[in-house]
PDB file of all heavy atoms in Angstrom:
ATOM      1  N   CYS A1287     -97.149 174.776 126.032  1.00  0.00           N
ATOM      2  CA  CYS A1287     -97.444 175.964 125.220  1.00  0.00           C
ATOM      3  C   CYS A1287     -96.857 177.233 125.858  1.00  0.00           C
ATOM      4  O   CYS A1287     -96.323 178.113 125.147  1.00  0.00           O
ATOM      5  CB  CYS A1287     -98.939 176.147 124.964  1.00  0.00           C
ATOM      6  SG  CYS A1287     -99.657 174.886 123.876  1.00  0.00           S
ATOM      7  N   GLN A1288     -96.992 177.399 127.186  1.00  0.00           N
ATOM      8  CA  GLN A1288     -96.386 178.490 127.816  1.00  0.00           C
ATOM      9  C   GLN A1288     -94.843 178.481 127.657  1.00  0.00           C
ATOM     10  O   GLN A1288     -94.231 179.564 127.521  1.00  0.00           O
ATOM     11  CB  GLN A1288     -96.690 178.503 129.321  1.00  0.00           C
ATOM     12  CG  GLN A1288     -98.155 178.822 129.622  1.00  0.00           C
ATOM     13  CD  GLN A1288     -98.477 178.798 131.046  1.00  0.00           C
ATOM     14  OE1 GLN A1288     -98.007 177.988 131.836  1.00  0.00           O
ATOM     15  NE2 GLN A1288     -99.379 179.719 131.522  1.00  0.00           N
ATOM     16  N   GLU A1289     -94.250 177.334 127.691  1.00  0.00           N
ATOM     17  CA  GLU A1289     -92.780 177.200 127.564  1.00  0.00           C
ATOM     18  C   GLU A1289     -92.252 177.473 126.159  1.00  0.00           C
ATOM     19  O   GLU A1289     -91.385 178.267 125.930  1.00  0.00           O
ATOM     20  CB  GLU A1289     -92.334 175.910 128.149  1.00  0.00           C
ATOM     21  CG  GLU A1289     -90.771 175.710 127.996  1.00  0.00           C
ATOM     22  CD  GLU A1289     -90.026 176.833 128.736  1.00  0.00           C
ATOM     23  OE1 GLU A1289     -90.449 177.300 129.816  1.00  0.00           O
ATOM     24  OE2 GLU A1289     -88.977 177.280 128.119  1.00  0.00           O
ATOM     25  N   PHE A1290     -92.882 176.801 125.170  1.00  0.00           N
ATOM     26  CA  PHE A1290     -92.386 176.871 123.776  1.00  0.00           C
ATOM     27  C   PHE A1290     -93.007 177.881 122.884  1.00  0.00           C
ATOM     28  O   PHE A1290     -92.407 178.334 121.964  1.00  0.00           O
ATOM     29  CB  PHE A1290     -92.453 175.444 123.219  1.00  0.00           C
ATOM     30  CG  PHE A1290     -91.576 174.428 123.798  1.00  0.00           C
ATOM     31  CD1 PHE A1290     -92.071 173.633 124.875  1.00  0.00           C
ATOM     32  CD2 PHE A1290     -90.231 174.361 123.402  1.00  0.00           C
ATOM     33  CE1 PHE A1290     -91.174 172.685 125.436  1.00  0.00           C
ATOM     34  CE2 PHE A1290     -89.369 173.378 123.978  1.00  0.00           C
ATOM     35  CZ  PHE A1290     -89.842 172.571 125.033  1.00  0.00           C
ATOM     36  N   GLY A1291     -94.247 178.267 123.231  1.00  0.00           N
ATOM     37  CA  GLY A1291     -95.076 179.131 122.355  1.00  0.00           C
ATOM     38  C   GLY A1291     -94.479 180.537 122.203  1.00  0.00           C
ATOM     39  O   GLY A1291     -94.234 180.980 121.080  1.00  0.00           O
ATOM     40  N   PRO A1292     -94.151 181.207 123.360  1.00  0.00           N
ATOM     41  CA  PRO A1292     -93.659 182.593 123.243  1.00  0.00           C
ATOM     42  C   PRO A1292     -92.395 182.746 122.394  1.00  0.00           C
ATOM     43  O   PRO A1292     -92.225 183.764 121.618  1.00  0.00           O
ATOM     44  CB  PRO A1292     -93.483 183.031 124.692  1.00  0.00           C
ATOM     45  CG  PRO A1292     -94.459 182.191 125.414  1.00  0.00           C
ATOM     46  CD  PRO A1292     -94.483 180.818 124.724  1.00  0.00           C
ATOM     47  N   ALA A1293     -91.482 181.750 122.542  1.00  0.00           N
ATOM     48  CA  ALA A1293     -90.229 181.774 121.722  1.00  0.00           C
ATOM     49  C   ALA A1293     -90.573 181.668 120.253  1.00  0.00           C
ATOM     50  O   ALA A1293     -89.929 182.312 119.442  1.00  0.00           O
ATOM     51  CB  ALA A1293     -89.278 180.676 122.174  1.00  0.00           C
ATOM     52  N   MET A1294     -91.549 180.826 119.909  1.00  0.00           N
ATOM     53  CA  MET A1294     -92.034 180.696 118.542  1.00  0.00           C
ATOM     54  C   MET A1294     -92.564 182.036 117.988  1.00  0.00           C
ATOM     55  O   MET A1294     -92.309 182.547 116.910  1.00  0.00           O
ATOM     56  CB  MET A1294     -92.980 179.607 118.296  1.00  0.00           C
ATOM     57  CG  MET A1294     -92.407 178.220 118.528  1.00  0.00           C
ATOM     58  SD  MET A1294     -93.780 176.969 118.322  1.00  0.00           S
ATOM     59  CE  MET A1294     -92.917 175.428 118.479  1.00  0.00           C
ATOM     60  N   CYS A1295     -93.402 182.655 118.930  1.00  0.00           N
ATOM     61  CA  CYS A1295     -93.990 183.948 118.570  1.00  0.00           C
ATOM     62  C   CYS A1295     -92.914 184.976 118.287  1.00  0.00           C
ATOM     63  O   CYS A1295     -93.010 185.773 117.354  1.00  0.00           O
ATOM     64  CB  CYS A1295     -94.887 184.448 119.655  1.00  0.00           C
ATOM     65  SG  CYS A1295     -96.439 183.515 119.760  1.00  0.00           S
ATOM     66  N   GLU A1296     -91.832 184.998 119.146  1.00  0.00           N
ATOM     67  CA  GLU A1296     -90.782 185.996 118.951  1.00  0.00           C
ATOM     68  C   GLU A1296     -90.077 185.863 117.593  1.00  0.00           C
ATOM     69  O   GLU A1296     -89.692 186.792 116.948  1.00  0.00           O
ATOM     70  CB  GLU A1296     -89.740 185.794 120.005  1.00  0.00           C
ATOM     71  CG  GLU A1296     -90.023 186.639 121.315  1.00  0.00           C
ATOM     72  CD  GLU A1296     -89.140 186.283 122.455  1.00  0.00           C
ATOM     73  OE1 GLU A1296     -88.026 185.865 122.270  1.00  0.00           O
ATOM     74  OE2 GLU A1296     -89.720 186.358 123.600  1.00  0.00           O
ATOM     75  N   ARG A1297     -89.991 184.539 117.186  1.00  0.00           N
ATOM     76  CA  ARG A1297     -89.359 184.307 115.831  1.00  0.00           C
ATOM     77  C   ARG A1297     -90.356 184.357 114.733  1.00  0.00           C
ATOM     78  O   ARG A1297     -89.983 184.278 113.515  1.00  0.00           O
ATOM     79  CB  ARG A1297     -88.652 182.889 115.863  1.00  0.00           C
ATOM     80  CG  ARG A1297     -87.441 182.844 116.798  1.00  0.00           C
ATOM     81  CD  ARG A1297     -86.661 181.533 116.562  1.00  0.00           C
ATOM     82  NE  ARG A1297     -87.479 180.413 116.837  1.00  0.00           N
ATOM     83  CZ  ARG A1297     -87.746 179.859 118.003  1.00  0.00           C
ATOM     84  NH1 ARG A1297     -87.276 180.368 119.084  1.00  0.00           N
ATOM     85  NH2 ARG A1297     -88.506 178.784 118.092  1.00  0.00           N
ATOM     86  N   GLY A1298     -91.625 184.510 115.043  1.00  0.00           N
ATOM     87  CA  GLY A1298     -92.716 184.619 114.003  1.00  0.00           C
ATOM     88  C   GLY A1298     -92.968 183.420 113.218  1.00  0.00           C
ATOM     89  O   GLY A1298     -93.553 183.518 112.114  1.00  0.00           O
ATOM     90  N   ARG A1299     -92.729 182.271 113.844  1.00  0.00           N
ATOM     91  CA  ARG A1299     -92.894 181.060 113.058  1.00  0.00           C
ATOM     92  C   ARG A1299     -93.104 179.845 114.065  1.00  0.00           C
ATOM     93  O   ARG A1299     -92.248 179.670 114.893  1.00  0.00           O
ATOM     94  CB  ARG A1299     -91.667 180.738 112.183  1.00  0.00           C
ATOM     95  CG  ARG A1299     -91.766 179.526 111.417  1.00  0.00           C
ATOM     96  CD  ARG A1299     -90.477 179.239 110.660  1.00  0.00           C
ATOM     97  NE  ARG A1299     -90.554 177.891 110.118  1.00  0.00           N
ATOM     98  CZ  ARG A1299     -89.556 177.064 109.905  1.00  0.00           C
ATOM     99  NH1 ARG A1299     -88.386 177.495 110.186  1.00  0.00           N
ATOM    100  NH2 ARG A1299     -89.756 175.894 109.441  1.00  0.00           N
ATOM    101  N   GLY A1300     -94.217 179.085 113.785  1.00  0.00           N
ATOM    102  CA  GLY A1300     -94.353 177.844 114.622  1.00  0.00           C
ATOM    103  C   GLY A1300     -95.666 177.215 114.356  1.00  0.00           C
ATOM    104  O   GLY A1300     -96.585 177.804 113.978  1.00  0.00           O
TER     105      GLY A1300
END
Side-chain angles (χ1 to χ4, degrees):
C1287 287
Q1288 288 179 323
E1289 178 56 39
F1290 291 94
M1294 291 179 175
C1295 288
E1296 273 168 31
R1297 292 190 303 277
R1299 178 186 170 208

